[in-house]
Amino acid sequence: SILKRNYNLYPDKYSTMFQYVIAIYQLEEWENLEEATTEALQKYPADKDLTQLRGIARFQQKKTDKAIESYKEMEKIALANKDTATLITSYSVLGDLHYEKNDSKSSFAYYKKALKLNPNENGVLNNYAYYLALKGKNLKQAYQMSKKTIETEPDNPTYLDTFGWILF
Protein backbone atom coordinates (compact mmCIF):
# COMPACT_ATOMS: atom_id res chain seq x y z
CA SER A 1 0.00 0.00 0.00
CA ILE A 2 0.98 3.61 -0.41
CA LEU A 3 0.98 4.22 3.33
CA LYS A 4 3.28 1.24 3.93
CA ARG A 5 5.71 2.50 1.24
CA ASN A 6 5.58 5.99 2.73
CA TYR A 7 6.31 4.54 6.18
CA ASN A 8 9.24 2.54 4.74
CA LEU A 9 10.61 5.68 3.04
CA TYR A 10 10.34 7.75 6.24
CA PRO A 11 10.67 5.23 9.10
CA ASP A 12 11.64 7.87 11.66
CA LYS A 13 8.69 10.12 10.98
CA TYR A 14 5.92 9.60 13.53
CA SER A 15 3.13 10.87 11.28
CA THR A 16 3.84 8.39 8.46
CA MET A 17 4.01 5.52 10.92
CA PHE A 18 0.79 6.55 12.63
CA GLN A 19 -1.10 6.96 9.33
CA TYR A 20 -0.02 3.45 8.37
CA VAL A 21 -1.08 2.01 11.73
CA ILE A 22 -4.48 3.72 11.57
CA ALA A 23 -5.05 2.36 8.06
CA ILE A 24 -4.39 -1.17 9.32
CA TYR A 25 -6.81 -0.55 12.20
CA GLN A 26 -9.51 0.68 9.82
CA LEU A 27 -9.01 -2.41 7.63
CA GLU A 28 -9.36 -4.57 10.77
CA GLU A 29 -6.16 -6.47 10.00
CA TRP A 30 -5.58 -7.37 13.62
CA GLU A 31 -2.47 -9.51 13.23
CA ASN A 32 -0.80 -6.84 11.08
CA LEU A 33 -1.88 -4.16 13.55
CA GLU A 34 -0.30 -6.01 16.45
CA GLU A 35 2.92 -6.41 14.49
CA ALA A 36 3.02 -2.76 13.34
CA THR A 37 2.24 -1.34 16.79
CA THR A 38 4.81 -3.62 18.45
CA GLU A 39 7.43 -2.33 16.01
CA ALA A 40 6.35 1.27 16.49
CA LEU A 41 6.37 0.96 20.27
CA GLN A 42 10.07 0.13 20.10
CA LYS A 43 10.59 3.71 18.91
CA TYR A 44 7.79 5.30 20.95
CA PRO A 45 7.42 3.14 24.08
CA ALA A 46 5.33 5.67 26.01
CA ASP A 47 2.79 6.29 23.26
CA LYS A 48 -0.67 5.66 24.72
CA ASP A 49 -2.42 5.52 21.34
CA LEU A 50 -0.08 2.86 19.95
CA THR A 51 -0.37 0.93 23.19
CA GLN A 52 -4.16 1.03 23.04
CA LEU A 53 -4.20 0.00 19.38
CA ARG A 54 -1.98 -2.96 20.20
CA GLY A 55 -4.38 -3.89 23.00
CA ILE A 56 -7.32 -3.72 20.59
CA ALA A 57 -5.46 -5.88 18.06
CA ARG A 58 -4.70 -8.46 20.70
CA PHE A 59 -8.26 -8.47 22.00
CA GLN A 60 -9.64 -8.94 18.50
CA GLN A 61 -7.36 -11.94 18.05
CA LYS A 62 -8.68 -13.42 21.34
CA LYS A 63 -5.28 -12.92 23.00
CA THR A 64 -6.85 -11.79 26.26
CA ASP A 65 -3.75 -12.11 28.44
CA LYS A 66 -1.69 -10.14 25.92
CA ALA A 67 -4.44 -7.50 25.68
CA ILE A 68 -4.36 -7.20 29.48
CA GLU A 69 -0.59 -6.62 29.25
CA SER A 70 -1.19 -3.80 26.77
CA TYR A 71 -3.80 -2.09 28.92
CA LYS A 72 -1.61 -2.42 32.01
CA GLU A 73 1.13 -0.69 30.00
CA MET A 74 -1.40 2.00 29.12
CA GLU A 75 -2.27 2.34 32.81
CA LYS A 76 1.41 2.96 33.63
CA ILE A 77 1.66 5.60 30.89
CA ALA A 78 -1.49 7.29 32.18
CA LEU A 79 -0.26 7.28 35.78
CA ALA A 80 3.12 8.72 34.74
CA ASN A 81 1.38 11.52 32.82
CA LYS A 82 -1.39 12.06 35.37
CA ASP A 83 -3.84 11.43 32.51
CA THR A 84 -7.15 10.64 34.18
CA ALA A 85 -9.11 10.07 30.96
CA THR A 86 -6.65 7.45 29.74
CA LEU A 87 -6.56 5.88 33.19
CA ILE A 88 -10.36 5.53 33.18
CA THR A 89 -10.20 3.92 29.74
CA SER A 90 -7.48 1.54 30.94
CA TYR A 91 -9.44 0.52 34.04
CA SER A 92 -12.65 0.12 32.07
CA VAL A 93 -11.10 -2.14 29.45
CA LEU A 94 -9.14 -4.08 32.07
CA GLY A 95 -12.46 -4.67 33.83
CA ASP A 96 -13.96 -5.99 30.60
CA LEU A 97 -10.95 -8.16 29.80
CA HIS A 98 -10.82 -9.71 33.25
CA TYR A 99 -14.52 -10.47 33.02
CA GLU A 100 -13.81 -12.22 29.70
CA LYS A 101 -11.38 -14.43 31.64
CA ASN A 102 -14.08 -15.26 34.22
CA ASP A 103 -12.20 -13.25 36.83
CA SER A 104 -15.03 -11.12 38.17
CA LYS A 105 -13.09 -10.20 41.31
CA SER A 106 -10.38 -8.41 39.29
CA SER A 107 -12.96 -7.13 36.84
CA PHE A 108 -15.05 -5.48 39.52
CA ALA A 109 -11.94 -4.05 41.21
CA TYR A 110 -11.00 -2.28 37.97
CA TYR A 111 -14.52 -0.94 37.49
CA LYS A 112 -14.40 0.44 41.05
CA LYS A 113 -11.07 2.15 40.28
CA ALA A 114 -12.58 3.76 37.18
CA LEU A 115 -15.69 4.91 39.03
CA LYS A 116 -13.57 6.34 41.83
CA LEU A 117 -12.03 8.65 39.22
CA ASN A 118 -15.37 9.42 37.55
CA PRO A 119 -18.54 8.13 39.22
CA ASN A 120 -20.57 9.16 36.16
CA GLU A 121 -18.66 7.16 33.52
CA ASN A 122 -21.62 5.59 31.71
CA GLY A 123 -19.72 2.83 29.91
CA VAL A 124 -18.22 1.59 33.17
CA LEU A 125 -21.50 1.96 35.06
CA ASN A 126 -23.31 -0.03 32.38
CA ASN A 127 -20.82 -2.88 32.11
CA TYR A 128 -20.35 -3.18 35.85
CA ALA A 129 -24.13 -3.19 36.43
CA TYR A 130 -24.69 -5.74 33.67
CA TYR A 131 -22.04 -8.13 34.95
CA LEU A 132 -23.33 -7.81 38.51
CA ALA A 133 -26.80 -8.68 37.22
CA LEU A 134 -25.48 -11.68 35.29
CA LYS A 135 -23.93 -12.91 38.53
CA GLY A 136 -27.15 -12.15 40.43
CA LYS A 137 -25.10 -10.10 42.90
CA ASN A 138 -25.68 -6.65 44.39
CA LEU A 139 -28.78 -6.07 42.29
CA LYS A 140 -29.66 -2.89 44.19
CA GLN A 141 -26.24 -1.47 43.36
CA ALA A 142 -26.57 -2.64 39.74
CA TYR A 143 -30.01 -1.00 39.55
CA GLN A 144 -28.64 2.33 40.84
CA MET A 145 -25.72 2.29 38.42
CA SER A 146 -27.88 1.36 35.45
CA LYS A 147 -30.54 3.91 36.39
CA LYS A 148 -27.86 6.60 36.30
CA THR A 149 -26.92 5.64 32.71
CA ILE A 150 -30.47 5.81 31.38
CA GLU A 151 -31.11 9.12 33.16
CA THR A 152 -28.22 10.65 31.22
CA GLU A 153 -28.81 8.74 27.96
CA PRO A 154 -32.47 7.64 27.91
CA ASP A 155 -32.40 6.53 24.26
CA ASN A 156 -29.24 4.40 24.44
CA PRO A 157 -30.38 0.85 23.57
CA THR A 158 -27.41 -0.79 25.30
CA TYR A 159 -28.15 1.00 28.58
CA LEU A 160 -31.87 0.27 28.28
CA ASP A 161 -31.11 -3.40 27.67
CA THR A 162 -28.96 -3.56 30.82
CA PHE A 163 -31.65 -1.82 32.85
CA GLY A 164 -34.28 -4.23 31.54
CA TRP A 165 -32.08 -7.21 32.40
CA ILE A 166 -31.61 -5.96 35.94
CA LEU A 167 -35.36 -5.46 36.35
CA PHE A 168 -35.95 -8.97 35.02
Coordinates of all heavy atoms in Angstrom, one line a residue, residues 8-70:
N8 N 7.9 3.1 5.0 CA 9.2 2.5 4.7 C 10.2 3.6 4.3 O 11.4 3.5 4.6 CB 9.2 1.4 3.7 CG 8.5 0.2 4.3 OD1 8.5 0.0 5.5 ND2 7.9 -0.6 3.5
L9 N 9.7 4.6 3.5 CA 10.6 5.7 3.0 C 11.0 6.6 4.2 O 12.1 7.2 4.2 CB 9.9 6.5 1.9 CG 9.8 5.8 0.6 CD1 8.9 6.6 -0.3 CD2 11.2 5.6 0.0
Y10 N 10.1 6.8 5.1 CA 10.3 7.7 6.2 C 10.1 7.0 7.6 O 9.2 7.4 8.3 CB 9.4 9.0 6.1 CG 9.5 9.7 4.8 CD1 8.6 9.4 3.8 CD2 10.6 10.5 4.6 CE1 8.8 10.1 2.6 CE2 10.7 11.2 3.3 CZ 9.8 10.9 2.3 OH 9.9 11.5 1.1
P11 N 10.9 6.0 7.9 CA 10.7 5.2 9.1 C 10.8 6.0 10.4 O 10.3 5.5 11.4 CB 11.7 4.1 9.0 CG 12.8 4.7 8.2 CD 12.1 5.6 7.2
D12 N 11.5 7.1 10.4 CA 11.6 7.9 11.7 C 10.6 9.0 11.8 O 10.7 9.8 12.8 CB 13.1 8.4 11.7 CG 14.1 7.3 11.8 OD1 13.8 6.3 12.5 OD2 15.2 7.5 11.3
K13 N 9.7 9.1 10.9 CA 8.7 10.1 11.0 C 7.4 9.6 11.6 O 6.8 8.7 11.1 CB 8.4 10.7 9.6 CG 7.8 12.0 9.6 CD 7.9 12.7 8.2 CE 7.2 14.0 8.4 NZ 7.0 14.7 7.2
Y14 N 7.1 10.1 12.8 CA 5.9 9.6 13.5 C 4.6 9.6 12.7 O 3.9 8.7 12.7 CB 5.7 10.4 14.8 CG 4.6 9.9 15.7 CD1 4.8 8.9 16.6 CD2 3.3 10.5 15.6 CE1 3.7 8.5 17.4 CE2 2.3 10.1 16.3 CZ 2.5 9.0 17.2 OH 1.4 8.6 18.0
S15 N 4.4 10.7 12.0 CA 3.1 10.9 11.3 C 2.9 9.8 10.2 O 1.8 9.3 10.0 CB 3.0 12.3 10.7 OG 4.0 12.5 9.7
T16 N 4.0 9.4 9.5 CA 3.8 8.4 8.5 C 3.6 7.0 9.1 O 2.8 6.3 8.6 CB 5.1 8.3 7.5 OG1 6.2 8.0 8.3 CG2 5.3 9.6 6.7
M17 N 4.2 6.8 10.2 CA 4.0 5.5 10.9 C 2.6 5.5 11.4 O 1.9 4.5 11.3 CB 5.0 5.4 12.1 CG 4.8 4.2 13.0 SD 3.6 4.4 14.3 CE 4.2 5.9 15.1
F18 N 2.1 6.6 12.0 CA 0.8 6.5 12.6 C -0.3 6.4 11.6 O -1.3 5.7 11.8 CB 0.6 7.8 13.5 CG -0.5 7.6 14.5 CD1 -0.4 6.8 15.6 CD2 -1.8 8.2 14.3 CE1 -1.4 6.6 16.5 CE2 -2.8 8.0 15.2 CZ -2.6 7.2 16.3
Q19 N -0.1 7.1 10.4 CA -1.1 7.0 9.3 C -1.2 5.5 8.9 O -2.3 5.0 8.6 CB -0.7 7.9 8.1 CG -0.9 9.3 8.4 CD -0.4 10.2 7.2 OE1 0.4 9.7 6.4 NE2 -0.9 11.4 7.2
Y20 N -0.1 4.9 8.8 CA 0.0 3.5 8.4 C -0.7 2.6 9.4 O -1.6 1.7 9.0 CB 1.4 3.0 8.2 CG 1.6 1.5 7.9 CD1 1.0 0.9 6.8 CD2 2.4 0.8 8.8 CE1 1.2 -0.4 6.6 CE2 2.5 -0.6 8.6 CZ 1.9 -1.2 7.5 OH 2.1 -2.5 7.3
V21 N -0.5 2.8 10.7 CA -1.1 2.0 11.7 C -2.6 2.2 11.7 O -3.4 1.2 11.8 CB -0.5 2.4 13.1 CG1 -1.3 1.8 14.2 CG2 1.0 1.9 13.2
I22 N -3.0 3.4 11.6 CA -4.5 3.7 11.6 C -5.2 3.1 10.4 O -6.3 2.5 10.5 CB -4.7 5.2 11.6 CG1 -4.4 5.8 13.0 CG2 -6.2 5.6 11.3 CD1 -5.2 5.3 14.1
A23 N -4.5 3.0 9.2 CA -5.1 2.4 8.1 C -5.2 0.9 8.3 O -6.3 0.3 8.0 CB -4.2 2.6 6.8
I24 N -4.3 0.3 9.0 CA -4.4 -1.2 9.3 C -5.6 -1.4 10.3 O -6.3 -2.3 10.1 CB -3.1 -1.7 10.0 CG1 -1.9 -1.6 9.0 CG2 -3.2 -3.1 10.4 CD1 -0.6 -1.8 9.6
Y25 N -5.7 -0.5 11.2 CA -6.8 -0.6 12.2 C -8.1 -0.5 11.5 O -9.1 -1.3 11.7 CB -6.7 0.6 13.2 CG -7.9 0.7 14.1 CD1 -8.2 -0.1 15.1 CD2 -8.8 1.8 13.9 CE1 -9.3 0.0 15.9 CE2 -9.9 1.9 14.7 CZ -10.2 1.0 15.7 OH -11.3 1.2 16.5
Q26 N -8.3 0.5 10.6 CA -9.5 0.7 9.8 C -9.8 -0.5 8.9 O -11.0 -0.8 8.7 CB -9.5 2.0 9.0 CG -9.5 3.2 9.9 CD -9.2 4.5 9.1 OE1 -8.6 4.5 8.1 NE2 -9.7 5.6 9.7
L27 N -8.8 -1.2 8.5 CA -9.0 -2.4 7.6 C -9.3 -3.7 8.5 O -9.6 -4.7 8.0 CB -7.8 -2.6 6.8 CG -7.5 -1.6 5.6 CD1 -6.2 -1.8 5.0 CD2 -8.6 -1.7 4.6
E28 N -9.1 -3.5 9.8 CA -9.4 -4.6 10.8 C -8.4 -5.8 10.5 O -8.8 -6.9 10.7 CB -10.8 -5.0 10.8 CG -11.8 -3.9 11.2 CD -13.2 -4.3 11.3 OE1 -13.6 -5.5 11.1 OE2 -14.1 -3.4 11.5
E29 N -7.2 -5.4 10.2 CA -6.2 -6.5 10.0 C -5.4 -6.6 11.3 O -4.3 -6.0 11.5 CB -5.2 -6.1 8.9 CG -5.9 -6.0 7.5 CD -5.0 -5.6 6.4 OE1 -3.8 -5.3 6.6 OE2 -5.5 -5.6 5.2
W30 N -6.0 -7.4 12.2 CA -5.6 -7.4 13.6 C -4.2 -7.9 13.8 O -3.4 -7.4 14.6 CB -6.6 -8.1 14.5 CG -8.0 -7.6 14.3 CD1 -9.1 -8.3 13.9 CD2 -8.4 -6.3 14.5 NE1 -10.2 -7.5 13.8 CE2 -9.8 -6.2 14.2 CE3 -7.8 -5.1 14.9 CZ2 -10.6 -5.0 14.2 CZ3 -8.6 -3.9 14.9 CH2 -9.9 -3.9 14.6
E31 N -3.8 -9.0 13.1 CA -2.5 -9.5 13.2 C -1.4 -8.5 12.7 O -0.4 -8.3 13.4 CB -2.4 -10.8 12.4 CG -1.1 -11.6 12.7 CD -1.1 -13.0 12.0 OE1 -2.1 -13.7 12.1 OE2 0.0 -13.3 11.5
N32 N -1.7 -7.9 11.6 CA -0.8 -6.8 11.1 C -0.7 -5.6 12.0 O 0.3 -5.0 12.2 CB -1.2 -6.4 9.7 CG -1.0 -7.4 8.6 OD1 -0.2 -8.3 8.8 ND2 -1.7 -7.4 7.5
L33 N -1.9 -5.3 12.6 CA -1.9 -4.2 13.5 C -1.0 -4.5 14.8 O -0.3 -3.6 15.2 CB -3.3 -3.8 14.0 CG -3.5 -2.7 14.9 CD1 -2.9 -1.4 14.3 CD2 -4.9 -2.5 15.3
E34 N -1.1 -5.7 15.3 CA -0.3 -6.0 16.4 C 1.2 -5.9 16.1 O 2.0 -5.4 16.8 CB -0.6 -7.4 17.0 CG 0.2 -7.8 18.2 CD -0.1 -9.2 18.7 OE1 -0.8 -10.0 18.1 OE2 0.4 -9.5 19.8
E35 N 1.5 -6.4 14.9 CA 2.9 -6.4 14.5 C 3.4 -5.0 14.3 O 4.5 -4.6 14.8 CB 3.0 -7.2 13.2 CG 4.4 -7.3 12.7 CD 4.5 -8.1 11.3 OE1 3.9 -9.2 11.3 OE2 5.1 -7.6 10.4
A36 N 2.6 -4.1 13.6 CA 3.0 -2.8 13.3 C 3.1 -1.9 14.6 O 4.1 -1.1 14.8 CB 2.0 -2.1 12.4
T37 N 2.2 -2.1 15.6 CA 2.2 -1.3 16.8 C 3.4 -1.8 17.7 O 4.0 -1.0 18.3 CB 0.9 -1.4 17.6 OG1 0.5 -2.8 17.8 CG2 -0.2 -0.6 16.8
T38 N 3.7 -3.1 17.7 CA 4.8 -3.6 18.4 C 6.1 -3.0 17.9 O 7.0 -2.6 18.7 CB 4.8 -5.2 18.4 OG1 3.6 -5.7 19.0 CG2 6.0 -5.7 19.1
E39 N 6.2 -3.0 16.6 CA 7.4 -2.3 16.0 C 7.5 -0.8 16.3 O 8.5 -0.3 16.7 CB 7.4 -2.5 14.5 CG 8.6 -1.9 13.8 CD 8.5 -2.1 12.2 OE1 8.0 -3.1 11.8 OE2 8.9 -1.2 11.5
A40 N 6.4 -0.2 16.2 CA 6.3 1.3 16.5 C 6.6 1.6 18.0 O 7.3 2.6 18.3 CB 5.0 1.9 16.1
L41 N 6.2 0.7 18.8 CA 6.4 1.0 20.3 C 7.8 0.8 20.7 O 8.2 1.3 21.7 CB 5.5 0.0 21.1 CG 4.0 0.5 21.2 CD1 3.1 -0.6 21.7 CD2 3.9 1.7 22.1
Q42 N 8.6 0.2 19.8 CA 10.1 0.1 20.1 C 10.7 1.5 20.0 O 11.6 1.9 20.7 CB 10.8 -0.9 19.2 CG 10.4 -2.3 19.5 CD 10.9 -3.3 18.4 OE1 11.6 -2.9 17.5 NE2 10.6 -4.5 18.6
K43 N 10.1 2.3 19.1 CA 10.6 3.7 18.9 C 9.9 4.7 19.9 O 10.5 5.7 20.3 CB 10.4 4.2 17.5 CG 11.2 3.5 16.4 CD 10.9 4.0 15.1 CE 11.6 3.1 14.0 NZ 11.2 3.5 12.7
Y44 N 8.6 4.4 20.1 CA 7.8 5.3 20.9 C 7.1 4.5 22.1 O 5.9 4.3 22.1 CB 6.7 5.9 20.1 CG 7.3 6.6 18.8 CD1 7.2 5.9 17.6 CD2 7.8 7.8 18.9 CE1 7.7 6.5 16.4 CE2 8.3 8.4 17.7 CZ 8.3 7.8 16.5 OH 8.7 8.4 15.4
P45 N 7.9 4.1 23.1 CA 7.4 3.1 24.1 C 6.4 3.7 25.0 O 5.6 3.0 25.6 CB 8.7 2.7 24.9 CG 9.7 3.8 24.6 CD 9.3 4.3 23.2
A46 N 6.3 5.0 25.1 CA 5.3 5.7 26.0 C 4.1 6.2 25.3 O 3.4 7.1 25.8 CB 6.0 6.8 26.8
D47 N 3.9 5.8 24.1 CA 2.8 6.3 23.3 C 1.5 5.6 23.6 O 1.3 4.4 23.4 CB 3.1 6.1 21.8 CG 2.1 6.9 20.9 OD1 0.9 6.4 20.9 OD2 2.5 7.9 20.3
K48 N 0.6 6.3 24.2 CA -0.7 5.7 24.7 C -1.6 5.2 23.6 O -2.2 4.2 23.7 CB -1.4 6.6 25.6 CG -2.0 7.8 25.0 CD -2.8 8.7 25.9 CE -3.4 9.9 25.1 NZ -4.0 10.8 26.0
D49 N -1.6 5.9 22.5 CA -2.4 5.5 21.3 C -1.9 4.2 20.7 O -2.7 3.3 20.4 CB -2.5 6.6 20.3 CG -3.1 7.9 20.8 OD1 -4.1 7.8 21.6 OD2 -2.6 9.0 20.5
L50 N -0.6 4.1 20.5 CA -0.1 2.9 19.9 C -0.3 1.7 20.9 O -0.6 0.6 20.5 CB 1.4 3.0 19.7 CG 1.8 4.0 18.6 CD1 3.3 4.2 18.6 CD2 1.3 3.5 17.2
T51 N -0.2 2.0 22.2 CA -0.4 0.9 23.2 C -1.8 0.5 23.2 O -2.1 -0.7 23.2 CB 0.0 1.5 24.6 OG1 1.4 1.9 24.5 CG2 -0.1 0.4 25.6
Q52 N -2.7 1.4 23.1 CA -4.2 1.0 23.0 C -4.5 0.3 21.8 O -5.2 -0.7 21.8 CB -5.1 2.3 23.1 CG -6.5 1.9 23.2 CD -7.4 3.1 23.5 OE1 -7.0 4.2 23.3 NE2 -8.6 2.8 23.9
L53 N -4.0 0.7 20.6 CA -4.2 0.0 19.4 C -3.7 -1.4 19.4 O -4.3 -2.3 18.9 CB -3.6 0.8 18.2 CG -4.4 2.1 17.8 CD1 -3.5 2.9 16.9 CD2 -5.7 1.7 17.2
R54 N -2.5 -1.6 20.1 CA -2.0 -3.0 20.2 C -2.9 -3.8 21.1 O -3.2 -5.0 20.8 CB -0.6 -3.0 20.7 CG 0.0 -4.4 20.8 CD 1.5 -4.5 21.1 NE 1.9 -3.9 22.3 CZ 3.1 -3.9 22.8 NH1 4.1 -4.4 22.1 NH2 3.4 -3.4 24.0
G55 N -3.4 -3.2 22.1 CA -4.4 -3.9 23.0 C -5.6 -4.3 22.2 O -6.1 -5.4 22.4
I56 N -6.1 -3.4 21.4 CA -7.3 -3.7 20.6 C -7.0 -4.9 19.6 O -7.8 -5.8 19.5 CB -7.8 -2.5 19.8 CG1 -8.3 -1.4 20.8 CG2 -8.8 -2.8 18.7 CD1 -8.5 0.0 20.2
A57 N -5.9 -4.8 19.0 CA -5.5 -5.9 18.1 C -5.4 -7.2 18.8 O -5.9 -8.2 18.3 CB -4.1 -5.6 17.4
R58 N -4.8 -7.2 19.9 CA -4.7 -8.5 20.7 C -6.1 -9.0 21.2 O -6.3 -10.2 21.1 CB -3.8 -8.2 21.9 CG -2.3 -8.1 21.5 CD -1.5 -7.6 22.6 NE 0.0 -7.8 22.3 CZ 1.0 -7.5 23.1 NH1 0.7 -7.0 24.3 NH2 2.2 -7.7 22.7
F59 N -6.9 -8.1 21.6 CA -8.3 -8.5 22.0 C -9.0 -9.1 20.8 O -9.7 -10.1 21.0 CB -9.0 -7.3 22.6 CG -10.5 -7.6 22.9 CD1 -10.8 -8.4 24.0 CD2 -11.5 -7.1 22.0 CE1 -12.1 -8.7 24.2 CE2 -12.8 -7.4 22.3 CZ -13.1 -8.2 23.4
Q60 N -8.9 -8.5 19.7 CA -9.6 -8.9 18.5 C -9.2 -10.3 18.1 O -9.9 -11.1 17.4 CB -9.5 -7.9 17.3 CG -10.3 -6.6 17.6 CD -11.8 -6.8 17.6 OE1 -12.3 -7.8 17.0 NE2 -12.4 -6.0 18.4
Q61 N -7.9 -10.6 18.4 CA -7.4 -11.9 18.1 C -7.6 -13.0 19.2 O -7.1 -14.1 19.1 CB -5.9 -11.8 17.8 CG -5.5 -11.0 16.6 CD -4.0 -10.8 16.5 OE1 -3.3 -11.7 15.9 NE2 -3.4 -9.8 17.0
K62 N -8.4 -12.6 20.2 CA -8.7 -13.4 21.3 C -7.4 -13.7 22.2 O -7.4 -14.7 22.8 CB -9.3 -14.7 20.9 CG -10.5 -14.5 20.0 CD -11.8 -14.2 20.8 CE -13.0 -14.3 19.9 NZ -13.6 -13.0 19.6
K63 N -6.5 -12.8 22.2 CA -5.3 -12.9 23.0 C -5.5 -12.1 24.3 O -4.9 -11.0 24.5 CB -4.0 -12.4 22.3 CG -3.7 -13.2 21.0 CD -2.5 -12.6 20.3 CE -2.0 -13.4 19.1 NZ -0.9 -12.7 18.5
T64 N -6.4 -12.6 25.1 CA -6.9 -11.8 26.3 C -5.7 -11.4 27.2 O -5.6 -10.3 27.6 CB -8.0 -12.5 27.0 OG1 -9.0 -12.9 26.1 CG2 -8.6 -11.7 28.1
D65 N -4.9 -12.4 27.5 CA -3.7 -12.1 28.4 C -2.8 -11.0 27.9 O -2.3 -10.2 28.6 CB -3.0 -13.4 28.8 CG -3.8 -14.3 29.7 OD1 -4.6 -13.8 30.5 OD2 -3.6 -15.5 29.6
K66 N -2.5 -11.1 26.6 CA -1.7 -10.1 25.9 C -2.4 -8.8 25.9 O -1.7 -7.7 26.0 CB -1.3 -10.6 24.5 CG -0.3 -11.7 24.4 CD 1.0 -11.2 24.8 CE 2.1 -12.3 24.5 NZ 3.4 -11.8 24.9
A67 N -3.7 -8.8 25.7 CA -4.4 -7.5 25.7 C -4.4 -6.9 27.1 O -4.2 -5.7 27.2 CB -5.9 -7.7 25.3
I68 N -4.5 -7.7 28.1 CA -4.4 -7.2 29.5 C -3.0 -6.6 29.7 O -2.9 -5.5 30.3 CB -4.6 -8.3 30.5 CG1 -6.1 -8.7 30.5 CG2 -4.1 -7.9 31.9 CD1 -6.5 -9.9 31.3
E69 N -1.9 -7.2 29.2 CA -0.6 -6.6 29.3 C -0.6 -5.2 28.6 O 0.0 -4.3 29.2 CB 0.4 -7.5 28.5 CG 0.8 -8.7 29.2 CD 1.8 -9.6 28.4 OE1 2.5 -9.0 27.5 OE2 1.9 -10.8 28.7
S70 N -1.2 -5.1 27.5 CA -1.2 -3.8 26.8 C -1.9 -2.7 27.6 O -1.4 -1.6 27.7 CB -1.9 -3.9 25.4 OG -1.1 -4.7 24.5

